[in-house]
Amino acid sequence: MDTTHVSQQSDLSEAVPLVQLQTSDLNENDVLCGRGAEIINNPGNRRFRALTRHFRSMYTKSATRDYKTGISRAIVDAVRKASPPGRFLKKHATQDIWYEIGDGKAWEKTSQTIRDIYDKAKQKELKIKSAQRSSHTEQWHEEKEQRSHMNQ
């Protein structure tokens, strides 16, 4: 099919050839966009998440948006330069085919994935701190109760 899928970005508009790929055409480095077990368990998505976790602290400590964009672009480039080359693919809404989303959307996906991983790590850290505080508070109350019984 010789149509073009146009992807609108905030400052970038790119025309991406709409290449129809069957699920059997996917390779182990392809990053699939979407939700669900098929996406989460896809080998390319696992590698992609590992890459984003690796660069997470560098990204979140970046002072400028340009530096963060550079990190996202480097991750997308690493996926695309893998062997076999990885692609960023999205499933067609009504047909059982996949199509390439283009660099702009891939950079956006990468940045969002890093932010999501950072947010989840922060939530986990806060949950641990809250549990520790709760444990210390309980221990303090128990010790206080024991002291009051001893003083009676």
Side-chain angles (χ1 to χ4, degrees):
M1 178 178 244
D2 194 19
T3 60
T4 301
H5 169 70
V6 178
S7 175
Q8 296 293 331
Q9 309 300 318
S10 54
D11 62 345
L12 175 67
S13 178
E14 62 181 310
V16 179
L18 184 58
V19 178
Q20 296 180 359
L21 298 168
Q22 302 300 319
T23 302
S24 60
D25 297 328
L26 304 180
N27 73 55
E28 67 267 18
N29 292 316
D30 286 336
V31 177
L32 308 179
C33 299
R35 299 180 182 273
E38 177 185 23
I39 305 300
I40 291 170
N41 295 322
N42 176 55
N45 288 58
R46 288 177 185 226
R47 286 185 185 93
F48 174 71
R49 285 193 306 274
L51 269 173
T52 56
R53 276 192 299 273
H54 178 75
F55 286 101
R56 180 191 77 200
S57 64
M58 202 182 320
Y59 182 94
T60 55
K61 292 176 185 174
S62 300
T64 67
R65 186 175 181 181
D66 287 344
Y67 193 74
K68 289 180 178 185
T69 300
I71 292 170
S72 294
R73 288 180 180 203
I75 293 170
V76 170
D77 287 346
V79 169
R80 295 201 186 283
K81 290 177 181 172
S83 181
R87 300 163 290 195
F88 287 80
L89 304 171
K90 185 171 184 172
K91 199 167 197 172
H92 192 277
T94 59
Q95 300 174 12
D96 193 25
I97 58 170
W98 295 86
Y99 62 91
E100 170 66 54
I101 63 171
D103 284 335
K105 289 284 186 190
W107 298 329
E108 286 179 11
K109 176 180 177 51
T110 302
S111 294
Q112 186 60 53
T113 301
I114 293 171
R115 288 190 297 269
D116 289 347
I117 288 171
Y118 176 75
D119 290 345
K120 286 178 185 173
K122 275 300 231 192
Q123 287 173 355
K124 185 176 182 181
E125 182 181 312
L126 290 173
K127 200 175 199 179
I128 290 169
K129 284 182 180 179
S130 177
Q132 288 172 341
R133 267 188 256 126
S134 178
S135 174
H136 290 294
T137 303
E138 285 178 25
Q139 184 179 3
W140 182 82
H141 283 295
E142 287 173 7
E143 289 172 359
K144 182 179 175 186
E145 192 174 309
Q146 286 175 353
R147 283 192 301 269
S148 73
H149 284 298
M150 292 175 76
N151 292 334
Q152 291 179 354

